[in-house]
Amino acid sequence: MYKPTMDKTCCPQYTIRLDSTKFMLSRSQRRVLRQMNEFLKSGTKPRSRVREEAPITAEVSPLPIRSIFEGLKKDRSDNPVQKKKELRRQRCFNRCSQSRLPLVCLRSFSFFQEEARRRTVESYIAEPDETWKHKLEVKLVHTSSKEFQERFDESFLLYEKYQRIIHKDDDPSRAGFKRFLVDTPLFDDEPRSHDELKTGSYHQWYILDGKLIAVGVIDILPRCVSSKYLYYDPEYSFLSLGTYTALREIAFTRFVMQQHPLIKYYYMGYYIITCPKMRYKGKFRPSELLCDRTFQWVNVCDRMLLENDSKFTVFLPDLPPATMQTRDNLLLLIDGKVSLVAIQAPGRHVVIHR
């Protein structure tokens, strides 16, 4: 376990999370879900994929520009998102006027648009029938289960292919894969029913026609679902699997919340604004970033990060720093037991009280 030195690192990394109960699908995310359904039903590949690695420019932010301070109102004329909405509304009104359609048609059109915006991820997940060209199965397996071990080789080969092609890693090893994405200190000793999900480490398999094409590595924790990693077959990148699997994990978080009401947050690891491969994380709204000094959550605001030349940014500079945990009262998880660590002399003697 480590904590980055944010004011010294070249790439500040901020913890990012999403309240799954407040999540709203964007237009591009709805398109990803529709394209997947169309591919499964008819086998038709998308003519154009949703771009997941957005360019980083200060002139045009890929996210709506919002103040991170609640209650701070801005003039609509300064909000590019509001401008786009008004332009679309005006174009629709002009079309109705040119066609001499009554105003009720415009209102009906707006109603259907609003209904589309309110659609959930779950509403796009349909059960396949015999007419579908492909079958996609999403399966959750615990890393200690027999089923996971039976498919371990296939999972590692998929990871190896992903690392070589996407990350240019020429030597991914089984030992590294196991240490990185399989071994875990998490356990659940609470008495639970047979059907109740336990906290711990899982792999979420995406199986297309019997073939493993993507794996989402997640931890189910007492208060959140944490997404650790994703690897997939690059041959299926036309399905925008980074976005699609994240959407399925958000839906899964809401499913878990039915059994564990405290689990409503979906954690997406770190958000690094200078890393194109992480750009898609900020598009899941309303996402929040953790202020490294105050440990308070604020809405994602790319403009603030970009205006600071992507350097370490304190989101709430007017608040006092959070109280830091000292090394004299750290708690460690050792062999399934929580232990108190006391350091008698710096760098020399460590006494563990069980």
Side-chain angles (χ1 to χ4, degrees):
M1 181 180 294
Y2 67 94
K3 182 180 183 299
T5 307
M6 297 283 276
D7 56 350
K8 294 182 180 179
T9 181
C10 62
C11 303
Q13 43 198 287
Y14 306 93
T15 302
I16 183 170
R17 75 175 185 181
L18 169 73
D19 185 343
S20 64
T21 63
K22 298 179 180 179
F23 173 63
M24 296 288 289
L25 283 167
S26 68
R27 180 176 298 182
S28 63
Q29 289 160 357
R30 291 197 297 269
R31 183 150 65 97
V32 168
L33 293 168
R34 288 196 303 268
Q35 287 177 345
M36 174 63 82
N37 286 342
E38 183 63 27
F39 173 73
L40 295 176
K41 290 178 182 178
S42 65
T44 304
K45 293 184 179 181
R47 285 179 292 181
S48 61
R49 57 173 293 192
V50 174
R51 189 171 186 178
E52 296 182 304
E53 297 182 13
I56 303 170
T57 59
E59 292 79 10
V60 181
S61 174
L63 298 178
I65 301 169
R66 299 178 181 176
S67 169
I68 63 172
F69 302 102
E70 294 184 1
L72 182 61
K73 296 183 179 180
K74 288 188 176 182
D75 186 355
R76 286 186 175 183
S77 61
D78 294 333
N79 190 331
V81 176
Q82 189 63 37
K83 284 183 179 179
K84 289 181 180 179
K85 286 184 179 179
E86 291 176 356
L87 287 173
R88 288 197 297 269
R89 189 179 294 114
Q90 185 62 43
R91 285 198 297 267
C92 179
F93 180 79
N94 291 340
R95 286 197 298 269
C96 288
S97 299
Q98 292 171 3
S99 304
R100 297 183 179 180
L101 293 174
L103 186 60
V104 66
C105 294
L106 176 61
R107 291 173 178 169
S108 177
F109 177 77
S110 300
F111 170 78
F112 286 116
Q113 274 196 326
E114 187 62 29
E115 285 297 303
R117 292 191 188 100
R118 291 177 180 174
R119 286 194 65 177
T120 63
V121 179
E122 292 85 348
S123 68
Y124 285 94
I125 302 174
E127 288 295 326
D129 57 40
E130 63 276 2
T131 64
W132 285 31
K133 297 292 185 181
H134 301 286
K135 179 183 177 182
L136 178 67
E137 180 184 6
V138 181
K139 196 168 192 177
L140 186 74
V141 292
H142 197 280
T143 54
S144 64
S145 67
K146 181 181 178 182
E147 186 176 15
F148 175 81
Q149 296 301 327
E150 290 173 349
R151 214 156 185 166
F152 179 88
D153 289 342
E154 183 183 3
S155 185
F156 169 71
L157 290 175
L158 177 62
Y159 168 79
E160 184 181 40
K161 182 178 182 180
Y162 173 81
Q163 292 295 113
R164 289 183 185 277
I165 296 177
I166 302 299
H167 292 293
K168 314 303 179 186
D169 181 0
D170 295 330
D171 191 27
S173 65
R174 285 177 177 267
F177 169 71
K178 189 172 182 296
R179 183 174 59 252
F180 178 34
L181 298 176
V182 179
D183 295 341
T184 175
L186 301 180
F187 67 96
D188 188 341
D189 57 358
E190 295 291 331
R192 303 188 189 279
S193 64
H194 176 71
D195 297 330
E196 191 176 2
L197 274 173
K198 292 186 175 183
T199 57
S201 298
Y202 294 84
H203 281 204
Q204 197 160 41
W205 291 343
Y206 295 82
I207 305 170
L208 182 66
D209 301 330
K211 177 185 177 182
L212 192 64
I213 66 166
V215 176
V217 183
I218 62 174
D219 288 335
I220 301 178
L221 302 173
R223 294 181 181 272
C224 71
V225 171
S226 176
S227 177
K228 290 178 60 179
Y229 201 68
L230 168 75
Y231 54 97
Y232 58 85
D233 190 336
E235 294 179 15
Y236 293 90
S237 59
F238 61 87
L239 292 173
S240 304
L241 289 172
T243 298
Y244 181 79
T245 55
L247 292 171
R248 293 297 297 256
E249 288 174 359
I250 292 170
F252 174 72
T253 302
R254 291 201 281 241
F255 170 76
V256 175
M257 193 175 64
Q258 296 175 12
Q259 296 183 3
H260 306 279
L262 292 178
I263 300 178
K264 70 172 184 176
Y265 285 106
Y266 172 62
Y267 278 66
M268 294 174 277
Y270 287 121
Y271 183 66
I272 303 175
I273 194 169
T274 54
C275 179
K277 287 183 173 60
M278 293 191 180
R279 299 297 297 167
Y280 74 96
K281 294 183 180 181
K283 296 180 181 179
F284 295 89
R285 307 186 188 112
S287 294
E288 299 174 306
L289 298 180
L290 182 66
C291 179
D292 190 70
R293 289 285 172 84
T294 64
F295 292 168
Q296 300 291 319
W297 294 94
V298 298
N299 293 337
V300 172
C301 183
D302 271 12
R303 167 163 285 187
M304 175 175 284
L305 299 175
L306 291 169
E307 287 178 349
N308 198 26
D309 295 328
S310 303
K311 297 177 182 177
F312 170 55
T313 303
V314 179
F315 300 130
L316 301 170
D318 296 333
L319 295 183
T323 303
M324 300 295 291
Q325 190 85 350
T326 66
R327 65 182 184 181
D328 295 328
N329 57 355
L330 293 177
L331 296 177
L332 293 183
L333 183 64
I334 302 175
D335 297 330
K337 296 181 180 180
V338 177
S339 305
L340 177 65
V341 175
I343 301 179
Q344 292 183 339
R348 292 190 176 183
H349 298 92
V350 178
V351 180
I352 299 177
H353 304 282
R354 295 184 181 274

